[in-house]
Amino acid sequence: MATPISKPTSLDLNPPRIVATLFYKSDTPSHYFAHADSIPRSPTDALPSATLNALKDGVSPTSNMSDYPLEPPTPGPNPLDHLYGSYLSQSCLTDFFVTLTNIVPGLLEDKITTRRLEEGKFCRVVEIAFPLPSAGGVTLEMLRHNEAVSRWEREWNVEAVFQKDDVWRRHKRLAVFDMDSTLIQQEVIDEIASLIGVEAQVSAITAATMNGELDFEASLRKRCALLKGVPSSVWETLKPRITHNEGVPELIKALKRLGFKTAVLSGGFTPLTGWMGVQLGLDYSFANHLVVSEDGQTLTGELTGEIVHAEKKRQHVLEIAEKEGILLEQIIAIGDGANDLPMMSVAGLGVAFHAKPKVQMQAPARLNSKSMLNVLYLLGISKEEQELLLR
């Protein structure tokens, strides 16, 4: 009796797919160490004098110039974008394909698809999609922290953002943002501190907190105590000093036209967060409440009500999603501090935008491009489609 042929399962027919959005980092210095061939010179150029003071970081420590090697070794991988083009060249993409096939067992180049998200010869954003085998032990998390991928990024001056390539990636419905250093360029509490001469003390606590070195609530109360006596009119004083990060108004406009709900969840303070929410047309706004003196003239340095700390941000995301009937897979959460990691973890995509180093290491995805509008590329929206949304 012949052995019956088993039917392929849905897993066999539709293996999970991953999409990597590749950004050429055109708005950041290509490499810490300049490549010798990237500096235009002529035979008649005078060579600068060699002194110890002129040497850059990374050299062997010595106090004797004669001990310094005439040909110092090239630090780290060679900057290949200098040789093959300051954009996502075919050489760059081919090297990425090779990197992927070395990581993912059984992955063949003909299973990798490419989609340019910018028209023109010098494309700087490309989507690479490929299947992920059920066997082999390669996971999305592993790809995001793979050393070979990291080396490829450094060599080509590119940032790769890995996501599941499914319907939820293309159809998000809720965007949640941190405010300070995310929607805006400033840290509001630092701005207040600068007005009364305690900026150094407050900034040091803020930096340690955003890096995850201090408990957020305790450090917030400690910083707020330094603001005792600040005039309650300080919010009006600060408003002209607040500036959006590049691309923020355009991103919100585009998202709203796509039907998104939007929210700002801030460890800052309600007067400015609420004002910012109105300015941008956000649907939800949550922040902390500073106590004002009985005569209404000054801040007491105390907080009242629930503190919008890391766990509270996460809770707000869950509550908004439930209220709006939105799946967690349809949420994108964007922030820069350690207190944003919990809300990123429950969202379909969590993005660390110009975040602190520790946050970039732990966040599901990181984005260090100049404009916040580039978030739209992560949703598969091309540059030309973005232009259409913003008309």
Side-chain angles (χ1 to χ4, degrees):
M1 182 176 178
T3 304
I5 300 174
S6 61
K7 294 182 179 180
T9 65
S10 59
L11 187 63
D12 296 324
L13 291 173
N14 299 296
R17 289 183 66 82
I18 298 296
V19 62
T21 308
L22 309 182
F23 294 87
Y24 180 74
K25 297 166 69 174
S26 57
D27 44 24
T28 58
S30 293
H31 298 274
Y32 186 80
F33 296 91
H35 192 279
D37 294 338
S38 70
I39 303 171
R41 293 194 181 280
S42 72
T44 59
D45 286 345
L47 294 176
S49 59
T51 67
L52 287 173
N53 290 334
L55 299 179
K56 300 298 184 183
D57 293 337
V59 302
S60 301
T62 178
S63 58
N64 185 349
M65 190 65 193
S66 63
D67 291 341
Y68 188 73
L70 295 178
E71 289 288 341
T74 302
N78 289 325
L80 297 179
D81 58 314
H82 287 182
L83 301 176
Y84 295 96
S86 298
Y87 60 100
L88 291 173
S89 64
Q90 186 56 55
S91 296
C92 172
L93 297 178
T94 299
D95 197 20
F96 185 67
F97 298 160
V98 172
T99 301
L100 284 179
T101 55
N102 287 334
I103 297 170
V104 182
L107 178 62
L108 302 175
E109 275 200 38
D110 61 1
K111 297 296 182 181
I112 302 174
T113 60
T114 302
R115 177 176 174 242
R116 296 158 61 93
L117 296 185
E118 289 184 353
E119 296 293 337
K121 179 180 178 181
F122 302 110
C123 179
R124 295 172 183 264
V125 189
V126 172
E127 278 185 357
I128 307 296
F130 55 94
L132 202 61
S134 54
V138 179
T139 65
L140 178 59
E141 187 68 17
M142 182 184 297
L143 288 169
R144 286 170 170 167
H145 296 93
N146 186 275
E147 177 58 31
V149 172
S150 178
R151 181 178 178 87
W152 175 85
E153 290 177 309
R154 297 196 306 276
E155 286 179 329
W156 291 98
N157 196 31
V158 173
E159 195 159 57
V161 180
F162 292 90
Q163 303 177 67
K164 289 182 180 178
D165 189 22
D166 58 20
V167 67
W168 308 125
R169 198 271 294 201
R170 300 185 298 274
H171 294 88
K172 294 282 192 284
R173 293 178 54 203
L174 171 63
V176 181
F177 302 88
D178 174 44
M179 187 171 89
D180 294 12
S181 298
T182 301
L183 287 179
I184 65 174
Q185 295 180 14
Q186 295 77 21
E187 289 285 339
V188 169
I189 196 167
D190 291 353
E191 293 296 315
I192 301 174
S194 70
L195 297 175
I196 59 172
V198 294
E199 184 178 14
Q201 299 96 303
V202 170
S203 294
I205 301 171
T206 300
T209 304
M210 293 299 99
N211 275 321
E213 299 166 13
L214 294 175
D215 172 76
F216 180 82
E217 182 173 346
S219 69
L220 178 63
R221 293 187 184 279
K222 186 176 181 180
R223 285 176 289 167
C224 288
L226 294 171
L227 307 183
K228 182 178 181 180
V230 172
S232 57
S233 60
V234 68
W235 312 114
E236 295 305 315
T237 304
L238 286 178
K239 285 178 183 178
R241 300 173 63 168
I242 300 301
T243 51
H244 298 120
N245 270 318
E246 183 175 326
V248 165
E250 293 81 2
L251 174 62
I252 300 301
K253 178 180 179 180
L255 292 176
K256 291 178 73 67
R257 286 190 168 179
L258 289 169
F260 272 65
K261 293 295 181 180
T262 53
V264 55
L265 307 180
S266 175
F269 309 108
T270 49
L272 279 183
T273 304
W275 169 75
M276 181 58 60
V278 171
Q279 294 291 309
L280 292 172
L282 305 180
D283 298 291
Y284 295 90
S285 172
F286 296 94
N288 297 305
H289 300 272
L290 275 169
V291 178
V292 177
S293 62
E294 291 187 6
D295 61 9
Q297 298 300 306
T298 60
L299 305 179
T300 67
E302 300 171 314
L303 292 160
T304 185
E306 289 188 310
I307 302 299
V308 183
H309 47 51
E311 185 53 37
K312 191 64 179 176
K313 285 188 176 187
R314 176 182 178 275
Q315 183 180 336
H316 280 312
V317 170
L318 297 175
E319 290 171 350
I320 294 170
E322 183 176 4
K323 179 180 178 180
E324 297 290 345
I326 295 172
L327 298 175
L328 297 182
E329 291 85 352
Q330 294 178 283
I331 301 172
I332 182 169
I334 304 170
D336 74 300
N339 63 323
D340 298 315
L341 288 169
M343 75 173 184
M344 292 183 198
S345 70
V346 297
L349 179 64
V351 180
F353 184 74
H354 285 280
K356 311 305 180 288
K358 182 176 179 179
V359 180
Q360 294 209 33
M361 290 297 295
Q362 296 185 37
R366 69 190 190 283
L367 188 61
N368 294 292
S369 56
K370 188 175 181 181
S371 175
M372 177 76 81
L373 189 60
N374 287 345
V375 165
L376 293 178
Y377 287 120
L378 299 179
L379 308 180
I381 300 174
S382 70
K383 182 178 180 181
E384 292 67 37
E385 291 168 332
Q386 292 176 32
E387 292 170 351
L388 180 62
L389 284 171
L390 294 173
R391 284 180 188 172

